[in-house]
Amino acid sequence: MFGAVLAAVHHAEVIAAKVGEPLGSIVLAVAVTVIEVGLIVTLMASGKDGVETLARDTVFAALMITINGIAGLCIFLGAGRRGLARFNPEGSAAALAGVVTVAGLCLVLPTFTSARSGPEFSPSQLAFAAISSIGVYAMFVLTQTVRHRDFFVPVDRAGKPLDDEDAHGPALSTRAALVSLGLLVVALVAVVGLAKVLSPSIEQAVDAAGFPQSFVGVVIALVVLLPETLAAAKYARAGRVQNSLNLAYGSAMASIGLTIPTLAALSPFLSSPLELGLGSMHIVLLVLSLVVGILTIVQGRATRFSGWILLVLLFAYVFLAANP
């Protein structure tokens, strides 16, 4: 399955190189989200105890890995050789604002609504959150690719935007891109199919380690996002930190803005309820992560210390997920 994930992300990268930035980052983010949704639905369809919170646990894990892990690692690497990691604050701040909005709507509000006794939405509330999330993501894509595309392209040391050739290298042929598109679809189907076979092994490994069942969501997110993390780190080492942040925040927004609406549409066919509300500990971690992320992004440049702070927040999340 991990090989299929690697193949999917590789072919998404090929397509990204063809279409250019920032559209390429959207391709990568959507590909990862399709894998994530497939894994969540496969495990939830089993109807086992604890799967009602699997979507929340996986989406929140993906959120923490992207906004803390990927963003922090890439800022740390980008600032390593050059002293400062430089990026476009307008685009990065707008993307992070979208992440804050969809995370609040889909993961925080269900804890405080009173229509249902547990941390879940009523059907009408779930529909509203799903439609709002899609609307936010759609407007973000429009802004990123049409209205203000220049806010999301990499910048040089002077803060000037780089063109696509500088950001991605020589253009690939249309034939190569189409071949990769077909292989991307094959790889995504393979990931979802293999997930059904391997899901019992994932759950047994978590139980054998003595971790809570919610840690399954962390494992899924780590498997899905590790190849994307490698791609983002490669961009950062090349001085294209903006590409890395596009991947991090785009994946975070897509993970919530596309996964939750998809699961909302499928919820009538799932045997388990959809509990989305975070607990108090996770809400605190989310608020800390977003505040630190905002303070890091607004300046348009960051030191290794800023990247390290974000990584520490990721380490804290993983540790507390295993030892709540």
Side-chain angles (χ1 to χ4, degrees):
M1 184 174 69
F2 185 71
V5 171
L6 284 172
V9 175
H10 165 73
H11 291 298
E13 281 187 299
V14 173
I15 299 171
K18 175 63 179 177
V19 300
E21 193 66 26
L23 190 58
S25 296
I26 296 175
V27 173
L28 285 168
V30 172
V32 168
T33 303
V34 170
I35 297 174
E36 181 182 330
V37 171
L39 292 175
I40 292 172
V41 172
T42 299
L43 292 176
M44 289 191 69
S46 65
K48 296 181 180 179
D49 293 337
V51 296
E52 62 273 3
T53 62
L54 179 64
R56 177 199 66 191
D57 297 335
T58 304
V59 169
F60 185 63
L63 177 64
M64 296 300 285
I65 291 171
T66 50
I67 67 174
N68 289 327
I70 297 180
L73 176 63
C74 293
I75 289 174
F76 189 85
L77 293 175
R81 296 180 180 177
R82 298 164 179 83
L84 287 174
R86 297 184 182 274
F87 41 86
N88 197 322
E90 289 89 350
S92 300
L96 188 54
V99 173
V100 172
T101 301
V102 295
L105 284 174
C106 296
L107 299 178
V108 177
L109 283 181
T111 304
F112 301 99
T113 54
S114 57
R116 293 291 178 92
S117 58
E120 60 178 295
F121 279 138
S122 67
S124 60
Q125 291 171 339
L126 182 60
F128 174 79
I131 294 172
S132 299
S133 298
I134 292 177
V136 170
Y137 186 71
M139 183 58 67
F140 169 71
V141 171
L142 178 65
T143 302
Q144 189 180 36
T145 58
V146 180
R147 300 289 296 180
H148 299 286
R149 179 181 177 277
D150 55 312
F151 287 177
F152 298 90
V153 297
V155 295
D156 58 20
R157 294 187 180 183
K160 296 181 179 179
L162 299 173
D163 56 32
D164 285 343
E165 184 175 354
D166 292 330
H168 286 286
L172 298 175
S173 66
T174 302
R175 181 178 181 276
L178 291 175
V179 170
S180 286
L181 178 61
L183 293 175
L184 172 62
V185 174
V186 172
L188 294 176
V189 172
V191 169
V192 176
L194 289 169
K196 185 174 181 61
V197 177
L198 295 177
S199 58
S201 299
I202 296 175
E203 295 172 344
Q204 291 171 9
V206 170
D207 290 337
F211 296 155
Q213 189 65 26
S214 60
F215 199 79
V216 173
V218 180
V219 175
I220 293 175
L222 288 172
V223 170
V224 171
L225 291 172
L226 181 57
E228 184 170 347
T229 302
L230 298 176
K234 181 178 68 175
Y235 286 138
R237 286 194 298 268
R240 302 197 298 269
V241 178
Q242 183 64 52
N243 289 43
S244 302
L245 294 179
N246 287 347
L247 278 175
Y249 296 143
S251 294
M253 200 182 309
S255 178
I256 304 174
L258 298 180
T259 300
I260 299 302
T262 302
L263 293 175
L266 295 175
S267 59
F269 308 101
L270 298 175
S271 57
S272 302
L274 197 59
E275 295 187 5
L276 297 176
L278 295 172
S280 56
M281 179 184 70
H282 286 161
I283 292 177
V284 171
L285 283 172
L286 177 60
V287 171
L288 283 174
S289 301
L290 295 176
V291 169
V292 172
I294 292 170
L295 294 175
T296 301
I297 292 302
V298 293
Q299 301 180 43
R301 57 182 184 174
T303 64
R304 298 180 76 178
F305 176 66
S306 298
W308 181 248
I309 293 175
L310 292 171
L311 290 173
V312 168
L313 288 172
L314 174 67
F315 300 152
Y317 162 69
V318 175
F319 176 77
L320 292 173
N323 301 274

